Amino acid sequence: MANKTPAIRTVTVRAPVNIAVIKYWGKSDEKLIIPLNDSISGTLDMEQMCATTSVALSAQFTSNRMWLNGEEVDMTANARLLRCIEEVKTMLSPGEWPSGHHLNIVSVNNFPTAAGLASSAAGYAALMYALCQLFGIDDAARISTLARLGSGSACRSLYGGFVQWVAGADHATSTARQLLGEAGWPSMRVLVLVVSDHRKDTSSTAGMALTVQTSPLMAHRAAAVVPGRVREMAAAIASRDFDAFARLTMADSNQFHAVCADTYPPIRYMNDVSWSVVSLVHRLNSSSNSSGSKGGAALVAYTFDAGPNACLYLLEEAVPTVLAALNAAYAPKKEKGETQLEVKGIQYQQKVKLNKEMADHAAAVVRPGALKYVISTKLGPGPQVLTRTLGDEVSLMAANGLPKL
Ligand code: PMV
């Protein structure tokens, strides 16, 4: 009788993107990826944005190979990736990864890669989650610590909802923990405004190293500003205080881009369209809040990562008004008829009529066609296993463990 043990062991998972509201920028240990300060992020729903990864281990494979978004990549050139795989090996008992067995890894993102949209966070979270699942390691804290070695912010993608990365002092203590599950603030919504889906110019690794070396403001930020903000943000999230949440989110995005500007030579991730979004958000917030009263609580908060795309956090009731303002400011112009921004993901009524003040705010920043599209999403859970079967509908691999065509 032939041995029925599967010759190829496999799992397919998906992992979410996270968008920081208190930013990580700067390491105290480059090799271990220990950050200078704690950070806090929201995990986005995988229905709209995620990395899906299939891994397979087999004696049939003669070397480790990886395909990213349809193209084979040279794994030997990626020291961090190799390090992550070695770390997993150290967690296994002898023989669990039989000698002569190699990995195939196939990963795809359902959103633009490396445009400052946290693709590496989702990618490393998916890869480390998948590898750990392959060997029955299910402890989110351990997987978070491992994912950190691939891309710092990836450690936050192991949990849903709002997540804090505690800077820690060494490899074991620098890890993420959940502050609030995705169901804990059900009205929270996110609009990702895609200004550009091109690859960013300065990688976050190179950028933050230069900032730490050259920016006097960076040391002040890490020591004197962020600790207080992390406490205030955790309290705002715990009490679902959107106004405090929004103000802290915007202030911290601004300071992150200020330390970029304070880097020598300076780093610039936001462009003119990004700045017009900042202007529009402050105008909207200055004149009205979600319940319609004047000059009250913030309606919407922006945050920008290492790229020009804006990420807006807002409550569900504010979405139609904000989308209407975005349409008035950025929808492409047509000779005839109405045009609308392309909104992918959760759909809303976009036809609300703006009051005169709101319409004036949109008119003040108007740039028809400046936004490529909007991804409309919400908070979501941490990584999930999709299948443990090779070659089924969900796996990214055919029955032989190679990428499906
Ligand atoms: O994890 P990295 O190296 O991709 O750095 C991410 C840095 C920011 O996205 C700009 C901020 C953050 O906290 O996610």
Side-chain angles (χ1 to χ4, degrees):
M1 281 293 284
N3 185 350
K4 289 275 184 216
T5 313
I8 303 180
R9 201 200 296 188
T10 185
V11 66
T12 299
V13 307
R14 60 177 186 166
V17 163
N18 72 75
I19 300 289
V21 291
I22 301 292
K23 303 293 187 193
Y24 148 56
W25 195 252
K27 302 178 182 72
S28 63
D29 186 321
E30 285 281 333
K31 202 159 161 262
L32 288 177
I33 314 200
I34 312 285
L36 282 174
N37 53 258
D38 286 19
S39 52
I40 296 179
S41 57
T43 295
L44 306 190
D45 195 342
M46 291 183 281
E47 290 307 309
Q48 282 77 44
M49 294 171 84
C50 70
T52 304
T53 300
S54 294
V55 296
L57 184 75
S58 175
Q60 293 174 15
F61 308 146
T62 51
S63 62
N64 292 336
R65 294 175 75 185
M66 180 168 182
W67 293 262
L68 191 57
N69 294 318
E71 279 185 31
E72 183 157 11
V73 293
D74 178 8
M75 282 178 72
T76 58
N78 191 333
R80 283 200 196 163
L81 182 64
L82 298 177
R83 167 103 205 267
C84 285
I85 295 171
E86 285 311 308
E87 278 294 321
V88 173
K89 284 188 177 170
T90 65
M91 292 164 69
L92 303 176
S93 339
E96 261 194 282
W97 187 314
S99 70
H101 280 56
H102 290 96
L103 277 179
N104 275 356
I105 303 166
V106 182
S107 190
V108 294
N109 294 331
N110 62 355
F111 60 94
T113 304
L117 282 177
S119 55
S120 65
Y124 272 104
L127 176 61
M128 299 322 282
Y129 186 71
L131 279 179
C132 286
Q133 286 293 330
L134 204 58
F135 297 105
I137 302 166
D138 206 15
D139 173 358
R142 285 179 87 188
I143 309 172
S144 166
T145 310
L146 281 173
R148 193 199 77 238
L149 294 173
S151 171
S153 57
C155 73
R156 298 184 309 234
S157 276
L158 267 298
Y159 299 92
F162 283 108
V163 181
Q164 178 174 359
W165 175 7
V166 178
D170 53 24
H171 176 55
T173 54
S174 186
T175 192
R177 59 171 190 187
Q178 190 178 58
L179 290 175
L180 184 73
E182 63 277 13
W185 201 343
S187 54
M188 185 61 85
R189 292 292 177 274
V190 174
L191 299 174
V192 181
L193 312 185
V194 180
V195 171
S196 158
D197 47 15
H198 293 135
R199 205 161 255 281
K200 59 196 178 199
D201 293 340
T202 310
S203 76
S204 52
T205 302
M208 65 178 84
L210 196 60
T211 302
V212 173
Q213 281 162 28
T214 62
S215 164
L217 180 56
M218 181 65 232
H220 172 70
R221 163 173 168 74
V225 180
V226 177
R229 272 191 191 158
V230 164
R231 279 194 297 276
E232 287 171 44
M233 182 58 92
I237 290 169
S239 59
R240 285 34 151 206
D241 177 349
F242 183 76
D243 189 48
F245 169 88
R247 286 168 203 274
L248 286 163
T249 297
M250 292 187 280
D252 206 66
S253 174
N254 294 342
Q255 192 175 67
F256 157 48
H257 292 279
V259 299
C260 288
D262 191 42
T263 300
Y264 195 87
I267 303 167
R268 182 175 184 265
Y269 289 121
M270 293 168 65
N271 64 19
D272 290 353
V273 181
S274 318
W275 281 105
S276 79
V277 172
V278 169
S279 170
L280 177 61
V281 165
H282 284 292
R283 285 167 191 271
L284 296 176
N285 286 344
S286 73
S287 63
S288 187
N289 74 11
S290 41
S291 56
S293 66
K294 277 248 170 189
L299 189 68
V300 50
Y302 56 76
T303 185
F304 297 83
D305 279 341
N309 301 318
C311 181
L312 304 184
Y313 279 93
L314 68 174
L315 297 178
E316 189 177 16
E317 67 249 33
V319 177
T321 305
V322 170
L323 275 178
L326 291 170
N327 261 298
Y330 302 114
K333 255 213 175 95
K334 260 202 200 158
E335 290 284 304
K336 259 194 208 146
E338 270 186 48
T339 62
Q340 236 173 245
L341 282 171
E342 185 191 351
V343 178
K344 302 177 196 250
I346 307 172
Q347 298 297 312
Y348 297 87
Q349 168 63 266
Q350 281 200 50
K351 295 261 184 295
V352 299
K353 201 168 158 34
L354 290 174
N355 65 30
K356 165 129 185 19
E357 206 173 352
M358 293 292 199
D360 286 347
H361 292 324
V365 303
V366 71
R367 278 171 179 262
L371 292 189
K372 290 203 150 144
Y373 55 91
V374 177
I375 305 172
S376 162
T377 185
K378 58 186 169 66
L379 297 180
Q384 294 163 345
V385 171
L386 298 177
T387 180
R388 293 184 185 274
T389 306
L390 207 55
D392 69 4
E393 253 175 58
V394 185
S395 174
L396 301 176
M397 292 173 174
N400 61 1
L402 288 171
K404 282 181 187 165
L405 286 179

